[in-house]
Amino acid sequence: MRPVRKRTAAVNDPAPARAAVKGPAPARRRGRTAVVLLTADLRVHDHPPLRAACGAADEVVPVFVRDPAVDRAGFTAPNRLAFLADCLADLDRSLRERGGRLVVRTGDTVAETCRIAREADADEVHTAAGCTGFARARETRLRRALEEDGRRLYVHDGVDSVVPPGDVVPQGSDHFAVFTPYFRRWSERPVRAPLPAPRTVRVPEDLRSDPLPSRADVPGVSAGLAAGGETEARRRLRSWTSRHLGAYEDRHDVLDDRAGDGTSRLSPYLHFGALSPVELVHRVRAGRAGEEAGPGAAAFVRQVCWRDFHRQVLAARPDAVREDYRPRHDRWRRGDEAEADLRAWREGRTGYPLVDAGMRQLAHEGWMHNRARLVTASFLTKTLYVDWREGARHFLALLADGDVAENQLNWQWVAGTGTDTRPNRVLNPVRQALRHDPDGTYVRRWVPELAGLAGPAVHEPWRLKGPDRAAYDYPDPLVGLDDGLARFRQARGTD
Ligand SMILES: Cc1cc2nc3c(=O)[nH]c(=O)nc-3n(C[C@H](O)[C@H](O)[C@H](O)COP(=O)(O)OP(=O)(O)OC[C@H]3O[C@@H](n4cnc5c(N)ncnc54)[C@H](O)[C@@H]3O)c2cc1C
């Protein structure tokens, strides 16, 4: 029996439950049970594996496996564990509303999935395709193990991306290496219709489940971490798109987040699959009742495309998690001085208020505005000339949306080892601050020791002299911007 890779329909399909399928569609039989292995797809709406399993079987086992191998790979962090706990609790509630429940197991994902398939006497397992090397290797092992047991694995594409990696490729290559041509082709692709949540999910009664993890049991969580879960994701999607989407094109780079809504803050929900990117794009393109989707929607959808872009790069080049996508022969600074600079950057004490504000927002919320991510990452990799891997590791230790594809490839983009066509550009943190936080509100919020400095003066405290300067307990800049720039240009051989 061969495993089957399923594709949900790529086009608007009036009957989405009959999505296009590669290979034989399983016919529904009485008494039949299917397992749905959930990974980064913690939702009930627009869930192709769940819909397919509900369509094929009388009883369905939605299972999430807490796998120590994921921890060992170094990609778990308190903020994401807490957010995950929220997502699992919410998913369990949604399944219970539909007559079912979530089954949680702990152990090796492959062994546990096979065990539960045996216990439930399920002859098929449905799961979503992943884009990382880790996920793909796990899929291969699962397929083999299930085959040995006489069971069948269905892997569904298009669950955590709008366009699955590999579906849009340039001639003669397995992926796009530059965003703009990818975006053009991506935009031409019709997007399949989102699938409704199943009305009922019947789960066999006698299956054991470990207790659901709880956010309260996770130590070291950021005080300002958002609540996770599909219900919250859908609430946020509704309220943000109705009130702020229209202004996105103009406001997405505004750092002053007193209003807090220049961007959607949906990234952690997308990371855990609490929100479907397919549904997100549909909703945004559809606009408000009776209105055309405007430039805000177009700018937003373009941003969501970056997510798919990185996923298709990583699927083709799994080594880009750790290796330079485009090596620039960097000899990054190492040693005590570089370590001290890195520490100051992590702690938000570089002496550049915008950089420090971003780093402190990250520590407090487990999230950082995209513009601040760009500035803080450029400062580390270019002005301080410290290896992007160090910065990526720190971001992954804190970000609720910390995602191997998006984090590593954005870091590489900023460091100039990735897909940026201008790899040696350096963002000046003062100019960026004056442009994107002109009144200094963002900085004063996150660097309260400078709150006494009114207006844009907060961006350059080093201009103060004598006792005025001494009144502020805030460090001097780690390095002059001109010196940092000269060091970087020399290292890259562009001076
Ligand atoms: C150094 C660095 C590291 C980053 N690490 C991550 C990460 O680990 N996980 C992550 O999801 N994003 C990452 N990003 C991308 C981006 O900063 C976040 O997706 C965005 O800030 C999330 O906020 P939002 O949901 O309000 O975005 P919005 O502006 O509302 O955008 C909507 C969605 O589009 C997607 N998106 C927007 N910008 C990007 C981008 N540059 N790359 C990929 N997707 C994008 C996100 O899914 C986002 O939720 C990183 C960017 C940089 C520069």
Side-chain angles (χ1 to χ4, degrees), residues 400-475:
D401 65 28
D403 184 286
V404 173
E406 307 312 327
N407 191 59
Q408 309 306 88
L409 288 165
N410 268 296
W411 269 96
Q412 295 229 39
W413 189 92
V414 177
T417 59
T419 58
D420 188 3
T421 49
R422 287 172 50 206
N424 296 319
R425 75 171 102 193
V426 178
L427 297 183
N428 177 315
V430 178
R431 266 190 245 134
Q432 290 284 314
L434 294 172
R435 189 173 309 153
H436 302 295
D437 184 32
D439 183 45
T441 314
Y442 176 76
V443 162
R444 273 188 297 279
R445 174 168 181 201
W446 293 109
V447 188
E449 61 268 39
L450 295 178
L453 280 171
V458 76
H459 296 313
E460 298 173 278
W462 55 86
R463 286 187 182 277
L464 297 170
K465 299 280 177 267
D468 287 345
R469 174 71 187 89
Y472 293 99
D473 180 19
Y474 181 73

Coordinates of all heavy atoms in Angstrom, one line a residue, residues 400-475:
A400 N 7.2 34.6 20.1 CA 6.0 33.7 20.1 C 5.8 33.2 18.6 O 5.4 32.1 18.4 CB 4.8 34.4 20.6
D401 N 6.2 34.0 17.6 CA 6.0 33.6 16.3 C 7.3 33.0 15.7 O 7.4 32.7 14.5 CB 5.6 34.8 15.4 CG 6.6 35.9 15.3 OD1 7.8 35.6 15.4 OD2 6.2 37.1 15.0
G402 N 8.3 32.7 16.6 CA 9.6 32.2 16.2 C 9.5 31.0 15.3 O 9.0 29.9 15.7
D403 N 9.9 31.1 14.1 CA 9.6 30.1 13.1 C 10.9 29.9 12.3 O 11.5 30.8 11.9 CB 8.5 30.7 12.1 CG 8.0 29.8 11.1 OD1 8.8 29.5 10.1 OD2 6.9 29.3 11.2
V404 N 11.2 28.6 12.1 CA 12.5 28.3 11.5 C 12.6 29.0 10.2 O 13.6 29.6 9.9 CB 12.7 26.8 11.4 CG1 14.0 26.5 10.7 CG2 12.8 26.2 12.8
A405 N 11.6 28.9 9.3 CA 11.7 29.4 8.0 C 11.8 30.9 8.0 O 12.6 31.6 7.4 CB 10.5 29.0 7.1
E406 N 10.8 31.5 8.7 CA 10.7 33.0 8.7 C 11.8 33.7 9.5 O 12.4 34.7 9.0 CB 9.4 33.4 9.3 CG 8.1 32.8 8.6 CD 8.2 32.8 7.1 OE1 8.7 33.7 6.5 OE2 7.7 31.8 6.5
N407 N 12.2 33.1 10.6 CA 13.3 33.7 11.4 C 14.6 33.6 10.7 O 15.3 34.6 10.4 CB 13.3 33.1 12.8 CG 14.2 33.9 13.7 OD1 13.9 35.1 14.0 ND2 15.2 33.3 14.2
Q408 N 15.0 32.4 10.3 CA 16.3 32.2 9.8 C 16.5 33.0 8.4 O 17.5 33.6 8.2 CB 16.7 30.7 9.6 CG 16.4 29.8 10.8 CD 17.1 30.3 12.1 OE1 16.6 31.1 12.8 NE2 18.3 29.8 12.3
L409 N 15.5 32.9 7.6 CA 15.6 33.6 6.3 C 15.5 35.1 6.3 O 16.1 35.8 5.5 CB 14.7 32.9 5.3 CG 15.2 31.5 5.0 CD1 14.1 30.6 4.3 CD2 16.5 31.5 4.1
N410 N 14.7 35.6 7.3 CA 14.7 37.0 7.5 C 16.0 37.5 8.0 O 16.6 38.5 7.6 CB 13.6 37.5 8.4 CG 12.3 37.8 7.7 OD1 12.3 38.8 6.9 ND2 11.2 37.0 7.9
W411 N 16.6 36.7 8.9 CA 17.9 37.1 9.5 C 18.9 37.1 8.3 O 19.8 38.0 8.2 CB 18.4 36.2 10.6 CG 17.9 36.7 11.9 CD1 16.8 36.4 12.7 CD2 18.6 37.7 12.7 NE1 16.8 37.1 13.8 CE2 17.9 38.0 13.9 CE3 19.8 38.4 12.5 CZ2 18.3 38.9 14.8 CZ3 20.2 39.4 13.5 CH2 19.4 39.6 14.6
Q412 N 18.9 36.1 7.5 CA 19.8 36.0 6.4 C 19.6 37.1 5.4 O 20.6 37.7 4.8 CB 19.7 34.7 5.6 CG 20.0 33.5 6.5 CD 21.0 32.5 5.8 OE1 21.9 32.9 5.1 NE2 20.8 31.2 6.0
W413 N 18.4 37.5 5.2 CA 18.1 38.6 4.3 C 18.7 39.9 4.8 O 19.4 40.6 4.1 CB 16.5 38.8 4.2 CG 16.1 39.8 3.2 CD1 15.7 39.5 1.9 CD2 15.9 41.2 3.3 NE1 15.3 40.7 1.2 CE2 15.5 41.7 2.1 CE3 16.1 42.1 4.4 CZ2 15.2 43.1 1.9 CZ3 15.8 43.5 4.2 CH2 15.4 43.9 2.9
V414 N 18.6 40.1 6.1 CA 19.1 41.4 6.7 C 20.7 41.3 6.7 O 21.3 42.3 6.4 CB 18.6 41.6 8.2 CG1 19.3 42.8 8.8 CG2 17.1 41.7 8.2
A415 N 21.2 40.1 7.0 CA 22.7 40.0 7.1 C 23.3 40.1 5.7 O 24.5 40.2 5.6 CB 23.0 38.7 7.7
G416 N 22.5 39.9 4.6 CA 23.1 40.0 3.3 C 23.6 38.6 2.8 O 24.2 38.5 1.8
T417 N 23.3 37.6 3.6 CA 23.7 36.2 3.2 C 22.5 35.5 2.6 O 22.6 34.3 2.2 CB 24.2 35.4 4.4 OG1 23.2 35.3 5.3 CG2 25.5 36.0 5.0
G418 N 21.3 36.2 2.5 CA 20.1 35.5 2.1 C 19.7 36.0 0.7 O 20.5 36.1 -0.2
T419 N 18.4 36.4 0.6 CA 17.8 36.6 -0.7 C 17.7 38.1 -1.1 O 17.2 38.5 -2.1 CB 16.4 36.0 -0.8 OG1 15.6 36.6 0.2 CG2 16.4 34.5 -0.6
D420 N 18.3 39.0 -0.2 CA 18.2 40.4 -0.6 C 19.1 40.7 -1.8 O 20.3 40.3 -1.8 CB 18.7 41.3 0.7 CG 18.5 42.8 0.5 OD1 17.9 43.2 -0.6 OD2 18.9 43.5 1.4
T421 N 18.6 41.5 -2.7 CA 19.4 41.8 -3.9 C 20.3 42.9 -3.7 O 21.1 43.2 -4.5 CB 18.4 42.1 -5.1 OG1 17.5 43.1 -4.7 CG2 17.7 40.9 -5.6
R422 N 20.2 43.6 -2.5 CA 21.2 44.6 -2.1 C 21.8 44.2 -0.7 O 21.5 44.7 0.3 CB 20.5 46.0 -1.9 CG 20.1 46.6 -3.3 CD 19.3 47.8 -3.1 NE 19.9 48.7 -2.1 CZ 19.2 49.6 -1.4 NH1 17.9 49.7 -1.4 NH2 19.8 50.4 -0.5
P423 N 22.7 43.2 -0.8 CA 23.1 42.5 0.4 C 23.9 43.4 1.4 O 24.1 43.0 2.5 CB 23.9 41.3 -0.1 CG 24.4 41.7 -1.4 CD 23.3 42.6 -2.0
N424 N 24.5 44.5 0.9 CA 25.4 45.3 1.7 C 24.7 46.5 2.3 O 25.4 47.4 2.8 CB 26.7 45.6 1.0 CG 27.4 44.3 0.7 OD1 27.5 43.4 1.5 ND2 28.0 44.2 -0.5
R425 N 23.4 46.6 2.1 CA 22.7 47.8 2.7 C 22.8 47.7 4.2 O 22.7 46.7 4.8 CB 21.3 47.9 2.2 CG 20.3 46.9 2.8 CD 18.9 47.3 2.4 NE 18.4 46.4 1.4 CZ 17.3 46.6 0.7 NH1 16.5 47.6 0.9 NH2 16.9 45.7 -0.2
V426 N 22.9 48.9 4.8 CA 23.0 49.0 6.3 C 22.0 50.0 6.7 O 21.9 51.1 6.2 CB 24.4 49.5 6.7 CG1 24.5 49.6 8.2 CG2 25.5 48.6 6.2
L427 N 21.1 49.6 7.7 CA 20.1 50.6 8.2 C 20.7 51.4 9.3 O 21.3 50.9 10.2 CB 18.9 49.8 8.7 CG 18.1 49.0 7.7 CD1 16.9 48.3 8.4 CD2 17.7 49.8 6.5
N428 N 20.6 52.7 9.1 CA 21.1 53.7 10.1 C 20.0 53.8 11.2 O 18.9 54.3 10.9 CB 21.3 55.0 9.4 CG 21.8 56.1 10.4 OD1 21.2 56.2 11.5 ND2 22.8 56.8 10.1
P429 N 20.3 53.4 12.5 CA 19.2 53.4 13.5 C 18.6 54.7 13.8 O 17.5 54.8 14.3 CB 19.8 52.7 14.7 CG 21.3 52.8 14.4 CD 21.5 52.9 13.0
V430 N 19.4 55.8 13.6 CA 18.9 57.1 13.9 C 18.0 57.6 12.8 O 16.9 58.0 13.1 CB 20.1 58.1 14.2 CG1 19.5 59.5 14.4 CG2 21.0 57.7 15.3
R431 N 18.4 57.4 11.6 CA 17.5 57.8 10.5 C 16.2 57.0 10.5 O 15.1 57.5 10.3 CB 18.2 57.7 9.2 CG 18.9 59.0 8.7 CD 19.4 58.9 7.3 NE 20.8 59.1 7.3 CZ 21.7 58.3 6.7 NH1 21.3 57.4 5.9 NH2 23.0 58.5 6.7
Q432 N 16.4 55.7 10.8 CA 15.2 54.9 10.9 C 14.2 55.3 12.0 O 13.0 55.4 11.8 CB 15.6 53.4 11.1 CG 16.3 52.7 10.0 CD 15.3 52.4 8.9 OE1 14.3 51.8 9.1 NE2 15.7 52.7 7.6
A433 N 14.8 55.8 13.1 CA 14.0 56.2 14.2 C 13.3 57.5 13.8 O 12.1 57.7 14.1 CB 14.9 56.5 15.4
L434 N 14.0 58.4 13.2 CA 13.4 59.7 12.8 C 12.2 59.5 11.8 O 11.3 60.2 11.8 CB 14.4 60.7 12.3 CG 15.5 61.1 13.3 CD1 16.6 61.9 12.7 CD2 14.8 61.9 14.5
R435 N 12.4 58.5 11.0 CA 11.4 58.3 9.9 C 10.2 57.5 10.5 O 9.1 57.8 10.2 CB 12.0 57.5 8.8 CG 11.1 57.4 7.6 CD 11.7 56.7 6.4 NE 13.0 57.3 6.1 CZ 14.0 56.7 5.5 NH1 13.9 55.4 5.1 NH2 15.1 57.3 5.2
H436 N 10.5 56.5 11.3 CA 9.4 55.6 11.7 C 8.9 55.8 13.1 O 7.9 55.2 13.5 CB 9.8 54.1 11.5 CG 10.2 53.8 10.1 ND1 9.3 53.9 9.1 CD2 11.4 53.5 9.5 CE1 9.9 53.6 7.9 NE2 11.2 53.4 8.2
D437 N 9.6 56.6 13.9 CA 9.1 57.0 15.3 C 9.4 58.4 15.4 O 10.1 58.8 16.4 CB 9.9 56.1 16.3 CG 9.4 56.3 17.7 OD1 8.2 56.6 17.9 OD2 10.2 56.2 18.6
P438 N 8.8 59.3 14.6 CA 9.3 60.7 14.5 C 9.1 61.4 15.8 O 10.0 62.3 16.1 CB 8.4 61.3 13.4 CG 7.3 60.3 13.1 CD 7.8 59.0 13.6
D439 N 8.1 61.1 16.6 CA 8.0 61.8 17.9 C 8.7 61.1 19.0 O 8.7 61.6 20.1 CB 6.4 61.9 18.1 CG 6.2 62.7 19.4 OD1 6.8 63.8 19.5 OD2 5.4 62.3 20.2
G440 N 9.2 59.9 18.8 CA 9.9 59.2 19.8 C 9.0 58.4 20.8 O 9.5 57.9 21.8
T441 N 7.8 58.3 20.5 CA 6.8 57.6 21.4 C 7.2 56.2 21.7 O 7.1 55.7 22.8 CB 5.4 57.7 20.8 OG1 5.2 59.0 20.4 CG2 4.4 57.4 21.9
Y442 N 7.6 55.5 20.6 CA 7.9 54.0 20.7 C 9.1 53.9 21.7 O 9.1 53.1 22.6 CB 8.2 53.5 19.3 CG 8.7 52.0 19.3 CD1 7.8 51.0 19.5 CD2 10.0 51.7 19.0 CE1 8.2 49.7 19.4 CE2 10.5 50.4 19.0 CZ 9.6 49.4 19.2 OH 10.0 48.1 19.1
V443 N 10.1 54.7 21.4 CA 11.3 54.6 22.2 C 11.0 55.0 23.7 O 11.5 54.3 24.6 CB 12.4 55.5 21.7 CG1 13.5 55.8 22.7 CG2 13.1 54.9 20.4
R444 N 10.3 56.0 23.9 CA 10.0 56.4 25.3 C 9.2 55.3 26.1 O 9.4 55.1 27.2 CB 9.3 57.7 25.4 CG 10.2 59.0 25.4 CD 9.4 60.2 25.7 NE 8.5 60.5 24.7 CZ 8.8 61.1 23.5 NH1 10.0 61.4 23.2 NH2 7.9 61.2 22.6
R445 N 8.4 54.6 25.3 CA 7.6 53.5 26.0 C 8.5 52.4 26.4 O 8.4 51.9 27.5 CB 6.6 53.0 25.0 CG 5.9 51.8 25.5 CD 4.7 51.4 24.8 NE 4.0 50.3 25.4 CZ 3.2 49.4 24.8 NH1 2.9 49.6 23.6 NH2 2.7 48.4 25.5
W446 N 9.5 52.0 25.6 CA 10.3 50.8 25.9 C 11.6 51.1 26.6 O 12.3 50.3 27.1 CB 10.5 50.0 24.6 CG 9.2 49.4 24.1 CD1 8.5 49.8 23.0 CD2 8.5 48.4 24.7 NE1 7.4 49.1 22.9 CE2 7.3 48.2 23.9 CE3 8.6 47.6 25.9 CZ2 6.3 47.3 24.3 CZ3 7.6 46.7 26.2 CH2 6.5 46.5 25.4
V447 N 12.0 52.4 26.5 CA 13.3 52.8 27.2 C 12.9 53.9 28.2 O 13.2 55.1 28.0 CB 14.4 53.3 26.2 CG1 15.7 53.5 26.9 CG2 14.5 52.3 25.1
P448 N 12.2 53.5 29.3 CA 11.6 54.5 30.2 C 12.7 55.5 30.8 O 12.3 56.6 31.2 CB 10.9 53.7 31.2 CG 11.4 52.3 31.1 CD 11.9 52.2 29.8
E449 N 13.9 55.0 30.9 CA 14.9 55.9 31.5 C 15.2 57.2 30.6 O 15.8 58.1 31.1 CB 16.3 55.2 31.8 CG 17.0 54.6 30.7 CD 16.6 53.1 30.4 OE1 15.4 52.8 30.5 OE2 17.5 52.4 30.0
L450 N 14.7 57.1 29.4 CA 14.8 58.3 28.5 C 13.5 59.1 28.4 O 13.4 60.0 27.6 CB 15.3 57.9 27.1 CG 16.7 57.3 27.0 CD1 17.0 56.9 25.6 CD2 17.8 58.2 27.5
A451 N 12.5 58.7 29.2 CA 11.2 59.3 29.0 C 11.2 60.8 29.2 O 10.3 61.5 28.7 CB 10.2 58.6 30.0
G452 N 12.2 61.3 29.9 CA 12.2 62.8 30.1 C 12.6 63.5 28.9 O 12.6 64.8 28.9
L453 N 13.1 62.9 27.9 CA 13.5 63.6 26.6 C 12.3 63.7 25.7 O 11.8 62.7 25.2 CB 14.6 62.8 26.0 CG 16.0 63.0 26.6 CD1 17.0 62.0 26.0 CD2 16.5 64.4 26.3
A454 N 11.9 64.9 25.4 CA 10.7 65.1 24.6 C 11.0 65.0 23.1 O 12.1 65.3 22.7 CB 10.1 66.5 24.9
G455 N 10.0 64.6 22.3 CA 10.2 64.6 20.9 C 11.3 63.8 20.3 O 11.8 62.9 21.0
P456 N 11.8 64.1 19.1 CA 12.8 63.3 18.5 C 14.2 63.3 19.2 O 15.1 62.5 18.9 CB 12.9 63.8 17.1 CG 12.2 65.2 17.1 CD 11.3 65.2 18.3
A457 N 14.4 64.2 20.1 CA 15.7 64.3 20.9 C 15.9 63.0 21.6 O 17.1 62.6 21.8 CB 15.6 65.4 21.9
V458 N 14.9 62.2 21.8 CA 15.1 60.9 22.5 C 15.9 59.9 21.7 O 16.5 59.0 22.2 CB 13.7 60.3 22.9 CG1 13.0 59.7 21.7 CG2 13.8 59.3 24.0
H459 N 16.0 60.2 20.4 CA 16.8 59.2 19.6 C 18.3 59.5 19.6 O 19.0 58.6 19.1 CB 16.3 59.4 18.1 CG 14.8 58.9 17.9 ND1 14.3 57.8 18.5 CD2 13.8 59.5 17.3 CE1 13.1 57.7 18.2 NE2 12.7 58.7 17.5
E460 N 18.7 60.6 20.2 CA 20.2 60.9 20.2 C 20.6 61.5 21.5 O 21.1 62.6 21.6 CB 20.5 61.9 19.0 CG 20.2 61.4 17.6 CD 20.3 62.4 16.6 OE1 19.4 63.2 16.4 OE2 21.4 62.4 15.9
P461 N 20.5 60.7 22.6 CA 20.8 61.2 23.9 C 22.3 61.6 24.0 O 22.6 62.4 24.9 CB 20.5 60.0 24.8 CG 20.4 58.8 24.0 CD 20.0 59.3 22.6
W462 N 23.1 61.1 23.2 CA 24.6 61.4 23.3 C 24.8 62.9 22.9 O 25.9 63.4 23.1 CB 25.4 60.5 22.4 CG 24.9 60.5 20.9 CD1 25.3 61.3 20.0 CD2 24.0 59.5 20.4 NE1 24.7 61.0 18.8 CE2 23.9 59.9 19.0 CE3 23.3 58.4 20.9 CZ2 23.1 59.2 18.1 CZ3 22.5 57.7 20.0 CH2 22.4 58.1 18.6
R463 N 23.8 63.5 22.3 CA 24.0 65.0 22.0 C 23.9 65.9 23.2 O 24.4 67.0 23.2 CB 22.9 65.4 21.0 CG 23.2 64.9 19.6 CD 22.2 65.5 18.6 NE 22.3 65.0 17.3 CZ 23.2 65.4 16.4 NH1 24.0 66.4 16.7 NH2 23.3 64.8 15.2
L464 N 23.4 65.3 24.3 CA 23.3 66.1 25.5 C 24.7 66.3 26.1 O 25.5 65.4 26.0 CB 22.4 65.4 26.6 CG 20.9 65.2 26.2 CD1 20.3 64.3 27.2 CD2 20.2 66.5 26.2
K465 N 24.9 67.4 26.8 CA 26.2 67.6 27.3 C 26.2 67.7 28.9 O 25.1 68.0 29.4 CB 26.8 69.0 26.8 CG 26.9 69.0 25.3 CD 28.2 68.4 24.9 CE 28.4 68.3 23.4 NZ 27.9 67.1 22.7
G466 N 27.3 67.4 29.5 CA 27.5 67.6 30.9 C 26.4 67.1 31.8 O 26.0 65.9 31.6
P467 N 25.9 67.9 32.7 CA 24.9 67.4 33.7 C 23.6 66.9 33.0 O 22.9 66.0 33.5 CB 24.6 68.6 34.6 CG 25.4 69.7 34.1 CD 26.3 69.3 33.0
D468 N 23.3 67.6 31.9 CA 22.1 67.1 31.2 C 22.2 65.7 30.8 O 21.3 64.9 30.9 CB 21.9 68.0 29.9 CG 21.4 69.4 30.2 OD1 21.0 69.6 31.4 OD2 21.4 70.3 29.4
R469 N 23.4 65.3 30.3 CA 23.6 63.9 29.8 C 23.7 63.0 31.1 O 23.1 61.9 31.1 CB 25.0 63.8 29.1 CG 25.4 62.4 28.7 CD 24.5 61.8 27.6 NE 24.8 60.4 27.4 CZ 24.3 59.4 28.0 NH1 23.4 59.6 29.0 NH2 24.6 58.2 27.7
A470 N 24.3 63.5 32.1 CA 24.5 62.7 33.3 C 23.2 62.4 34.0 O 23.0 61.4 34.8 CB 25.5 63.4 34.3
A471 N 22.2 63.2 33.7 CA 20.8 63.0 34.4 C 20.2 61.7 33.8 O 19.2 61.2 34.5 CB 19.9 64.1 34.1
Y472 N 20.7 61.2 32.7 CA 20.0 60.0 32.2 C 20.9 58.7 32.4 O 22.1 58.7 31.9 CB 19.8 60.2 30.7 CG 18.7 61.2 30.5 CD1 19.0 62.5 30.2 CD2 17.3 60.9 30.6 CE1 18.0 63.5 30.0 CE2 16.4 61.9 30.5 CZ 16.7 63.2 30.2 OH 15.7 64.1 30.1
D473 N 20.4 57.8 33.1 CA 21.2 56.5 33.3 C 21.0 55.6 32.1 O 20.2 54.7 32.1 CB 20.6 55.9 34.6 CG 21.3 54.6 34.9 OD1 22.5 54.4 34.4 OD2 20.8 53.8 35.7
Y474 N 21.7 56.0 31.1 CA 21.6 55.3 29.8 C 23.0 55.2 29.1 O 23.7 56.2 29.1 CB 20.6 56.0 28.9 CG 20.3 55.3 27.6 CD1 19.6 54.1 27.5 CD2 20.9 55.8 26.4 CE1 19.4 53.5 26.3 CE2 20.7 55.2 25.2 CZ 19.9 54.0 25.1 OH 19.8 53.4 24.0
P475 N 23.4 54.0 28.6 CA 24.7 53.9 28.1 C 25.1 54.7 26.9 O 24.2 55.1 26.1 CB 24.8 52.4 27.8 CG 23.4 51.9 27.6 CD 22.6 52.8 28.5

